[in-house]
Every structure is written in C-alpha cells, then in structure tokens.
Amino acid sequence: MKLNRITSIAAGLAAVFALAACNEEKTENTSAKNTEKTFVNCVSRSPQFFSPALAMDGISYNASSQQVYNRLVEFKRGSTEIEPALAESWDISEDGLTYTFHLRKGVKFHSNKEFTPSREFNADDVVFSFNRQLDPNHSYHNVSKATYPYFKAMKFPALLKSVEKVDDQTVKFTLNKRDATFLSSLGMDFTSIYSAEYADAMLKAGKPETVDTTPIGTGPFAFTGYVLDQASRYVAHKEYWKGKADFDRLIFEIVPDATTRYAKLQAGQCDLMDFPNATDIEKMKKDPKIQLLSNPGLNIAYIAFNNEKAPFDNVKVRQALNLAVDKKAIIDVVYQGAGVAANSPLPPTIWGYNANLPPSEYNIEKAKQLLAEAGYPNGFETELWVQPVVRASNPNPRRMSEIIQADWEKIGVKAKLVTYEWGDYLKRAKAGELTAGTFGWSGDNGDPDNFLSPLFGASNIGNSNYARFNSPELEGMLEKALGLTDKNERAKIYEQAQVLLREQAPWIDVAHSINFAPVSKRVQDYKQSPFGYTYLYGTKLTD
C-alpha cells in the first residue's frame, strides 16, 4: 500500500465539499435519523484524494475506492483471494495476452445533486476508467493534473496494449506481454470503475475535475460530502448489486491524535479507530468497552537511501549503515513488541519470502570497518528524513528515526533529523532530493512482485522507487518471473532477488508491523484486510 501530491485538490475544493455536507444535513429526515444506524470511523488524517486513480495511499483508498467504487474483480473480505465483482466471469487466451471480461448486468451507479445516471454500468465505463490512465490523448488524462502513480508503479502503461469494448457487456484487454500478476492487479484500488456518463456530463459542464472530487461509483456507499480536516460522509447505496449495507450512514471523522481517537472509541463516539498508539495496545486488550482485532501486516517499514547520491552510492556505506541499526531495540520501543524485525523487503507472510536468508546482523565493529574501507574512517554527516505521518507499517516514525540516529552516531555518522509536510515529503523524495529517510509500504494484491517492482524497479524511479535503485540484474529477474505461470518457479526467482537486495542494501529493511483494529462492542463481523485497508461492507452494527 502507498502516496502522492497531497490535499491540493481537497483544499482547493473545501468550500464545495462543505456545501455538499451542509446540503446533506439540510435534507435529512429528522424522524428517520432516529431509526437509522450510523457507523463512525475515527481516522488519523484527511484523505489526499477521493479518486483512487490519483492516489497511492490507504487513507485515500479507504475514503474512496473501498466504499464508493467497485472493480472488475475484488478480494474476498479478509483475504488475498480474488472473486468476481463487476465482471461475472472472464476468459484468458492460450498465449496469456488476451483477457475477455463478461460484465455483470443490473449494476446501478450512485447519483448526486449534479448528476443522475440514465443507464446501468456497462463496458463504456470500464474502457473510460482504464483508457483515461493509459492514453495520453484521452480527454480526461490530464484532468486534476493526474499522474496515475499506481498505474505507473504496476507498469500498466507498458503492459496494456489496448482496452476495447466488444459489446455493452464485454470488454477485451490485450497485453503486450504475459503477466502472471495481471488478474490479481485488477483487484487493486487504482483499477476502480468510474462512470463514463458522469465524466461526459461534467466535461460538458466545464468542470471535469468534479469526477475526482465528488465521486460517483457503483459501491456499497454513496459519497455525500466532505468538510476539510473534519469528516467525509456517505449513505448506504440502497440499490447496491450485493444488497444494501447493514447500516445507513457512514462517517469518516478526522481525529489526528491517537489518544483522542481512543477516548472517543471508549465513549461510544467512534465504532472503529485507526493507528492506535503502540503503548495503548496492552490496555486495549483488557478494555471491556472495546474489541481489539489484529492480524500480521503485509507491510514493510524501511529506511531508503538515495543510491544516486554520495555517500549512499557506495554499497559498503549502505551495508555499514544496515549493520549499525539495532532492530530489536526498534521492535521493543517503537512497536512495543507488536512487530517483527525485517530480514527482507518481503514480509514472512507472503509466498516467495526467502526463509533461508541469514538473519540481518547488528555489528558495530564490522560497520566501522566497512565505513573505513569505503573511505569514511571518521564517518560523515547527513540528513535523515522523518516520515511526518503514522502509517500501518510504522506506529512512530519519529521515535524510530531517533533510535537510528543514535545507532549511526556510534559509527561516526551524524544524522540531522528533518521532515516536511507529507505531500512535500513525497514530492521531494520522488524528485531525488532525498538523502535517507523513513518510508513504508503495504502490499495490495498478495503477490511478491507488488513489493519488488514498485519499490526497486528502474521504471519506478521518480515514482515509488524512492531509493532510486537501478539493477539490470534485478530487472531481468522480475521480468522473467512475470512471464511464468508456475508459482513455484516464480518463488525461486523472488528468493534469488532477495539475496541480491541483501548484498546491494539499497535500503534498510526495518520491521513488519502487526495491524490492530480497535472496534466498539456493537460492531459485528468486521474483517481486517490483509492489505491494511478499511472495507466496511458486510460489517454489522447491533442496536
């Protein structure tokens, strides 16, 4: 899971969203409110986007694609296994280059005060949703200054040859090469299906960006409004093709402080909170007012080095800095034991993880020796960037950075801690300004390539490859693995790739977190996503 160009759209259109929220409140039926059920999710920060094609972060996906949209295929609740969604079935050609999807009939889009659909979901919507991202000449390609970061991270511009309508209920995808991950990738948030009719209407009205700021989809909840830094609101889609959700209203209340989120959960003002303080976990386990759910995170917290900048362009420097970090101390202090020290960019819970890699070593003397061999016997000065937000992979980036700063000082490396606003942080990192800094990633489709290609692929330098790592040998491995259908053969290649990454040390694999979901006692059948997202359809509320 994920990032980019933060809050500019949301901030610029805050007045529009606030008006939408006010309109919603004015039109509510007061007597109905007394019988309706409302689910309140207390979240840590505002979404960057309400358009999943533009986003690369979980907070934005939770507020948009996980509630408002559907995809051709989707992951079963609480699983990495795909199932039919907007596509009821599909055929794959013998050469693996053509995928033909047979679409579900009777699927209805939401409506809002500016748009009422005149038809049901069909192939035009699929073609629009993909070709907007694929075709630079598409009328919507540059709307909202879109960069489509995850579409690029998954190499879809090079992978997709064409997306074509066969008839209203059939769409054909033609690939330029075989890709073993393609079907599971179609379950990811950036492939959400938009309304082509809505897009046409907003283009004619001269405000095409409305498609991205006031979303309309086919999902279980319809967006009704957003007040900047306060809340986003939704109502249950009564004509949802799977059936109406158990509760009538959904609110994502923005509560930046984790202690305050916990207090609101205890007081019954929230039904679910994200990112609890690691120091509160033991208390939550014994708290009679809440249920504490947990699962192993499909994630990685890491320190990226800019491999293009001295001294980090020297592999011995990178190896030395790896050896100087006491990961056990980080697990104890930052994660309060609710995590495991990382031995690889891949978490141990994903297939393809190399369990035969020797444990990462903490060795100050060996680190000093490597620094001296690299030409830095007295160490050096550098910056260590501190991720300014808490994410699923890292409960306390500041504290982690302080521990690493102290560890590096033991080998003569003096690191100055610096940070930026989240959007600026990512923008600068993508532009190559990074020295070294804290980052995190959560997997989105259960495939090892979803870690290795976005994070280390050469084509993702300037996008999600913050280390700017470029290895032709690794590129060859990843390309070969994608062309194979045998999972065991692919796994062997990914195990080799992890050996290469251990040797080259483009960054420090720090930790894999455990994901916690504190929920109120009235919440039933909430299933945690292995990807760390919040999917609420299927969850129930007791009276």
Side-chain angles (χ1 to χ4, degrees):
M1 89 61 80
K2 319 113 181 183
L3 321 160
N4 204 342
R5 229 184 357 91
I6 316 307
T7 60
S8 57
I9 295 174
L13 291 164
V16 174
F17 294 147
L19 178 61
C22 290
N23 287 340
E24 176 205 356
E25 296 297 332
K26 289 177 182 177
T27 57
E28 285 179 343
N29 183 306
T30 304
S31 60
K33 282 171 63 179
N34 295 328
T35 59
E36 289 179 340
K37 291 191 286 188
T38 299
F39 190 106
V40 180
N41 183 13
C42 284
V43 299
S44 59
R45 61 178 173 86
S46 300
Q48 300 171 12
F49 303 98
F50 285 99
S51 182
L54 310 186
M56 208 176 185
D57 72 292
I59 294 288
S60 293
Y61 291 152
N62 290 342
S64 62
S65 40
Q66 291 292 307
Q67 322 305 332
V68 177
Y69 291 95
N70 288 118
R71 289 146 292 285
L72 292 174
V73 300
E74 294 180 348
F75 297 101
K76 293 181 179 179
R77 283 206 308 149
S79 169
T80 60
E81 183 182 349
I82 61 167
E83 63 181 357
L86 292 182
E88 288 188 308
S89 63
W90 49 88
D91 306 309
I92 305 173
S93 63
E94 286 189 16
D95 62 7
L97 298 179
T98 303
Y99 288 69
T100 303
F101 291 90
H102 306 286
L103 307 182
R104 188 177 300 276
K105 295 180 180 179
V107 176
K108 299 182 184 299
F109 279 99
H110 311 148
S111 61
N112 60 25
K113 63 187 180 67
E114 295 196 77
F115 172 76
T116 300
S118 66
R119 62 167 177 79
E120 296 176 342
F121 157 76
N122 68 26
D124 292 329
D125 305 306
V126 179
V127 172
F128 167 82
S129 301
F130 283 88
N131 282 346
R132 173 191 179 176
Q133 300 183 71
L134 178 65
D135 181 5
N137 297 314
H138 192 279
S139 60
Y140 260 81
H141 187 75
N142 295 315
V143 169
S144 303
K145 299 180 181 178
T147 59
Y148 310 112
Y150 221 142
F151 192 81
K152 292 178 180 177
M154 296 303 291
K155 303 179 182 178
F156 269 38
L159 177 63
L160 289 179
K161 182 177 182 180
S162 64
V163 181
E164 303 169 286
K165 174 181 178 178
V166 177
D167 56 45
D168 278 352
Q169 301 307 130
T170 313
V171 178
K172 183 174 72 173
F173 287 71
T174 304
L175 311 187
N176 285 309
K177 56 187 175 182
R178 295 179 71 104
D179 188 320
T181 70
F182 181 63
L183 198 56
S184 58
S185 294
L186 291 183
M188 294 168 62
D189 295 67
F190 75 93
T191 70
S192 295
I193 304 303
Y194 295 67
S195 165
E197 187 184 19
Y198 181 38
D200 288 341
M202 292 304 98
L203 188 63
K204 290 177 183 176
K207 46 185 180 181
E209 69 284 345
T210 306
V211 168
D212 295 319
T213 57
T214 310
I216 280 181
T218 60
F221 298 97
F223 176 84
T224 59
Y226 170 60
V227 179
L228 183 64
D229 294 334
Q230 293 185 36
S232 56
R233 295 171 179 269
Y234 312 79
V235 295
H237 182 23
K238 294 180 180 179
E239 297 182 291
Y240 186 47
W241 55 275
K242 285 186 179 181
K244 179 186 169 296
D246 176 71
F247 44 90
D248 305 279
R249 294 181 180 274
L250 170 62
I251 300 172
F252 280 71
E253 184 178 347
I254 299 158
V255 185
D257 180 65
T259 300
T260 305
R261 292 197 297 277
Y262 184 18
K264 289 176 78 70
L265 183 66
Q266 289 178 307
Q269 298 170 358
C270 293
D271 295 297
L272 168 67
M273 67 168 282
D274 69 1
F275 306 145
N277 283 324
T279 52
D280 287 335
I281 295 302
E282 288 305 312
K283 185 193 302 184
M284 287 180 171
K285 288 179 180 177
K286 303 171 186 175
D287 193 328
K289 295 181 180 180
I290 69 168
Q291 309 169 67
L292 182 63
L293 309 179
S294 65
N295 67 6
L298 199 68
N299 59 43
I300 176 73
Y302 64 96
I303 305 296
F305 304 126
N306 187 334
N307 285 229
E308 294 179 347
K309 276 187 177 181
F312 305 111
D313 57 347
N314 188 317
V315 66
K316 289 189 175 182
V317 169
R318 302 195 300 266
Q319 291 171 343
L321 293 174
N322 265 271
L323 287 167
V325 172
D326 185 354
K327 295 181 185 178
K328 183 181 183 302
I330 291 173
I331 297 300
D332 291 343
V333 175
V334 176
Y335 292 83
Q336 296 287 300
V340 295
N343 209 35
S344 155
L346 296 183
T349 52
I350 200 169
W351 67 270
Y353 173 77
N354 191 340
N356 295 317
L357 274 178
S360 56
E361 193 177 358
Y362 173 52
N363 191 323
I364 294 295
E365 293 308 312
K366 188 174 179 181
K368 288 179 179 178
Q369 179 185 336
L370 282 171
L371 270 190
E373 291 174 7
Y376 299 94
N378 301 313
F380 55 86
E381 294 183 0
T382 188
E383 290 182 344
L384 177 59
W385 291 20
V386 182
Q387 177 183 297
V389 296
V390 171
R391 304 183 70 205
S393 57
N394 190 339
N396 195 333
R398 168 63 61 171
R399 191 70 187 98
M400 178 185 289
S401 301
E402 290 170 348
I403 292 172
I404 291 172
Q405 179 188 43
D407 284 344
W408 285 357
E409 192 162 1
K410 295 172 186 175
I411 62 172
V413 175
K414 293 179 170 55
K416 177 184 177 182
L417 302 186
V418 300
T419 194
Y420 304 94
E421 182 272 330
W422 188 217
D424 197 28
Y425 188 94
L426 298 173
K427 182 179 179 181
R428 289 171 179 265
K430 290 180 180 184
E433 296 180 30
L434 176 73
T435 48
T438 53
F439 293 90
W441 183 265
S442 294
D444 288 302
N445 66 7
D447 194 285
D449 183 78
N450 183 235
F451 282 80
L452 301 178
S453 284
L455 297 173
F456 301 105
S459 64
N460 278 310
I461 293 174
N463 190 33
S464 48
N465 180 353
Y466 297 113
R468 306 180 82 80
F469 182 64
N470 187 349
S471 166
E473 185 178 357
L474 179 67
E475 292 294 304
M477 291 180 182
L478 298 181
E479 285 299 312
K480 182 178 179 180
L482 287 176
L484 298 174
T485 55
D486 188 305
K487 192 173 181 179
N488 292 328
E489 290 302 311
R490 291 184 67 210
K492 291 177 184 177
I493 295 174
Y494 293 134
E495 289 172 6
Q496 295 168 10
Q498 290 164 77
V499 173
L500 182 151
L501 290 168
R502 170 66 69 85
E503 294 169 351
Q504 291 299 309
W507 31 266
I508 301 175
D509 312 309
V510 181
H512 310 290
S513 74
I514 294 173
N515 289 338
F516 292 99
V519 298
S520 70
K521 288 289 188 178
R522 72 183 194 131
V523 173
Q524 295 182 339
D525 201 25
Y526 173 70
K527 293 187 182 297
Q528 287 182 275
S529 163
F531 310 119
Y533 296 150
T534 301
Y535 178 70
L536 291 170
Y537 182 76
T539 301
K540 297 178 176 60
L541 287 178
T542 58
D543 294 333

